[in-house]
């Protein structure tokens, strides 16, 4: 069997890429080892459409988040997918945090987020009477979305444009050949070889293993892989806020925030824990830590209001949160293997940025 491109990983990023390539007329095979799309990081996140203010100017995260958020709102509107532009407040409780808000404001503006405003305590109270803060950034364009419906629409677009999706299909290894690659797959228990012109490695937590299994990749260029777990707790009673409420970001995460599903259900999280053994377990004992963090901005919350919900795992290429981690996208200039694009460390805001990341991959392929 042969095709133009093999896309490995049907998370939101692989789906976006398969759609982009398929709509440009390429033949695509999109595989995932799970029985359906988006069963890993893409279904274990906050579903927030970020505006793009957290990331250094000109980084991929800044560029793709700002562009991707616009693309996402437009795409979801065109396809009848639920979004809720409820707005976000990032809150500060002391002078040092207020100074950080100022830095974030400048960064956001430099990134092209031009609708931000800095609110004092009285203005915060006007917007959210039960919210306690010395100051806050208001980001009106931030919102939430139905990420499952989004991924289903991407899959449908891809399949309607020359893409074949194969689930329970695992990438095993690939060898460089004059036509591109021979790729060994295990599809529903059967071994097979696919002849392809190019490979897109969008395998999330498996991306480093996939690249190590391609013979022509310079292994020294493959980043290490770490897991930063993020737990969520749901709230057993009605929450008096309309906006998403975020603390100041810290340690490689955005802080324990209040977010909501597109249907209004509220969750708190994610926290950040650097784990050696990945698992999606949640620890009920962490309710106290969540309570302490949330009580700073919502004084009425009780520890017993918090119910352990679920967890996600951020793919990281650094072992702790001390270094800014950008999206890492390698082509032959980095790894020396013509025809391969490899994506590593696609953590937040990867959902928001997915359509823009797909444009970047398409642009890099087009240059070949
Ligand atoms: C706790 C948390 C909160 C987040 N919140 C937000 C948010 O609010 N907004 C936002 O924009 N972003 C958020 N993100 C980031 C976002 O969820 C990710 O950036 C995005 O889902 C990454 O998608 P992906 O397709 O790269 O990876 P994944 O969804 O992990 O997909 C990779 C796929 O590759 C498959 N795979 C791996 N190895 C193989 C193999 N050998 N063969 C075949 N298939 C393979 C896996 O089965 C998997 O389905 C959050 C992330 C986390 C962890």
């Amino acid at each position: 069997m042969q095709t133009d491109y093999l896309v490995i990983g049907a998370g939101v990023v692989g789906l976006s890429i398969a759609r982009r390539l398929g709509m440009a007329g390429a033949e695509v095979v999109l595989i995932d080892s799970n029985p359906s799309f988006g069963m890993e990081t893409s279904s274990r996140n906050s579903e927030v459409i970020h505006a793009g203010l957290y990331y250094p100017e000109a980084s991929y995260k800044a560029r793709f988040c700002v562009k991707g958020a616009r693309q996402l709102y437009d795409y979801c509107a065109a396809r009848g997918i639920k979004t809720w532009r409820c707005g976000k407040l990032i809150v500060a409780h002391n002078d040092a945090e207020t100074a950080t808000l100022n830095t974030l404001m400048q960064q956001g503006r430099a990134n092209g987020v031009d609708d931000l405003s800095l609110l004092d305590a009285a203005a915060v109270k006007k917007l959210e009477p039960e919210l306690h803060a010395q100051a806050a950034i208001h980001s009106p364009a931030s919102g939430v979305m139905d990420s499952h419906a989004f991924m289903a629409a991407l899959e449908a677009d891809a399949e309607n444009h020359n893409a074949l999706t194969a689930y329970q299909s695992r990438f095993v290894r690939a060898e460089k050949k004059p036509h591109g690659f021979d790729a060994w797959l295990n599809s529903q228990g059967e071994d097979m070889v696919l002849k392809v012109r190019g490979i897109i490695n969008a395998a999330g937590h498996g991306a480093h293993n996939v690249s190590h299994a391609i013979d022509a990749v310079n292994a020294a260029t493959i980043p290490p892989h770490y897991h930063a777990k993020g737990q969520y707790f749901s709230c057993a009673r009605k929450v008096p806020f309309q906006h998403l409420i975020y603390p100041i970001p810290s340690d490689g995460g955005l802080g324990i925030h209040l977010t909501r599903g597109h249907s209004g259900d509220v969750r708190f999280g994610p926290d950040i824990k650097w784990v050696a053994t990945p698992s999606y377990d949640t620890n009920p004992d962490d309710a106290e830590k969540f309570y302490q963090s949330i009580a700073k901005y919502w004084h009425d919350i009780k520890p017993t209001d918090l119910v352990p919900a679920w967890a996600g795992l951020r793919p990281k290429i650094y072992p702790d949160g001390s270094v800014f981690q950008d999206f890492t996208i390698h082509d032959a200039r980095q790894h020396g293997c013509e025809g391969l694009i490899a994506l590593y460390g696609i953590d937040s805001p990867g959902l928001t940025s997915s359509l823009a990341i797909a444009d970047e991959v398409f642009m890099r392929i087009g240059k070949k």
Side-chain angles (χ1 to χ4, degrees):
M1 189 178 168
Q2 69 182 58
T3 190
D4 291 335
Y5 295 105
L6 171 65
V7 179
I8 305 163
V12 70
V13 173
L15 287 162
S16 298
I17 293 166
R19 169 184 178 270
R20 185 71 181 82
L21 294 174
M23 290 181 79
E27 279 187 7
V28 178
V29 172
L30 170 65
I31 62 164
D32 200 292
S33 39
N34 284 316
S36 185
F37 61 77
M39 292 183 70
E40 301 203 349
T41 312
S42 295
S43 54
R44 292 176 168 276
N45 57 57
S46 303
E47 294 188 298
V48 171
I49 304 174
H50 290 291
L53 62 153
Y54 292 111
Y55 323 105
E57 187 180 359
S59 62
Y60 282 145
K61 284 190 175 178
R63 286 168 40 212
F64 298 162
C65 185
V66 171
K67 178 182 171 193
R70 289 182 192 132
Q71 290 175 301
L72 203 54
Y73 276 122
D74 288 349
Y75 181 80
C76 289
R79 298 298 297 266
I81 297 163
K82 277 190 192 167
T83 57
W84 181 13
R85 212 182 283 241
C86 50
K88 176 196 286 189
L89 291 167
I90 307 171
V91 296
H93 294 101
N94 53 45
D95 292 347
E97 289 188 353
T98 301
T100 306
L101 287 186
N102 279 304
T103 309
L104 282 174
M105 281 284 288
Q106 284 166 17
Q107 196 162 261
R109 284 180 181 146
N111 292 349
V113 189
D114 45 21
D115 58 357
L116 301 173
S117 48
L118 195 56
L119 310 181
D120 62 13
V124 171
K125 279 268 173 249
K126 233 177 173 177
L127 271 187
E128 292 284 10
E130 296 204 35
L131 183 63
H132 294 266
Q134 184 184 84
I137 291 177
H138 181 219
S139 166
S142 301
V144 291
M145 65 177 300
D146 181 346
S147 61
H148 185 86
F150 175 53
M151 289 190 280
L154 294 172
E155 185 200 46
D157 281 352
E159 287 179 343
N160 288 334
H161 292 87
N162 287 322
L164 179 80
T165 44
Y167 295 117
Q168 292 179 297
S169 297
R170 187 169 52 84
F171 173 83
V172 180
R173 68 185 179 90
E175 285 177 10
K176 194 82 186 87
K177 299 286 178 195
H179 61 262
F181 299 88
D182 281 354
W184 276 258
L185 313 179
N186 184 282
S187 189
Q188 305 195 358
E190 273 190 35
D191 293 328
M192 59 180 290
V193 181
L194 191 64
K195 293 193 178 306
V196 297
R197 268 175 49 207
I199 294 179
I200 320 300
N201 172 4
H205 286 289
H208 60 304
N209 289 331
V210 164
S211 288
H212 277 294
I214 301 174
D215 65 351
V217 171
N218 175 357
T221 65
I222 302 169
H225 187 69
Y226 304 95
H227 298 87
K229 185 170 179 171
Q231 304 179 103
Y232 291 87
F233 279 67
S234 56
C235 190
R237 74 185 162 112
K238 202 168 178 318
V239 169
F241 306 117
Q242 292 305 308
H243 293 78
L244 307 174
I245 314 290
Y246 278 64
I248 299 288
S250 61
D251 301 331
L254 299 183
I256 295 175
H257 46 267
L258 178 158
T259 179
R260 47 183 81 242
H262 50 91
S263 341
D265 52 305
V266 165
R267 330 99 191 214
F268 292 101
D271 62 352
I272 187 155
K273 275 188 183 172
W274 296 81
V275 293
T277 313
S279 89
Y280 293 126
D281 297 344
T282 49
N283 182 358
D285 295 343
D286 285 333
E288 178 60 24
K289 175 180 74 179
F290 273 66
Y291 166 72
Q292 294 294 343
S293 171
I294 300 158
K296 285 186 194 160
Y297 55 84
W298 183 23
H299 290 181
D300 272 359
I301 184 143
K302 310 269 179 301
T304 48
D305 293 333
L306 293 168
V307 182
W310 81 92
L313 291 165
R314 304 169 181 88
K316 295 286 188 182
I317 62 172
Y318 298 110
D320 57 39
S322 59
V323 179
F324 167 70
Q325 173 177 307
D326 205 356
F327 297 143
T328 300
I329 306 176
H330 284 182
D331 60 28
R333 290 169 296 181
Q334 287 82 30
H335 52 54
C337 177
E338 279 302 333
L340 170 71
I341 310 273
L343 299 102
Y344 307 105
I346 311 294
D347 62 349
S348 190
L351 171 64
T352 310
S353 309
S354 51
L355 295 172
I357 292 173
D359 285 346
E360 171 72 16
V361 168
F362 178 72
M363 194 263 301
R364 290 198 190 197
I365 282 173
K367 278 191 176 159
K368 299 276 165 291

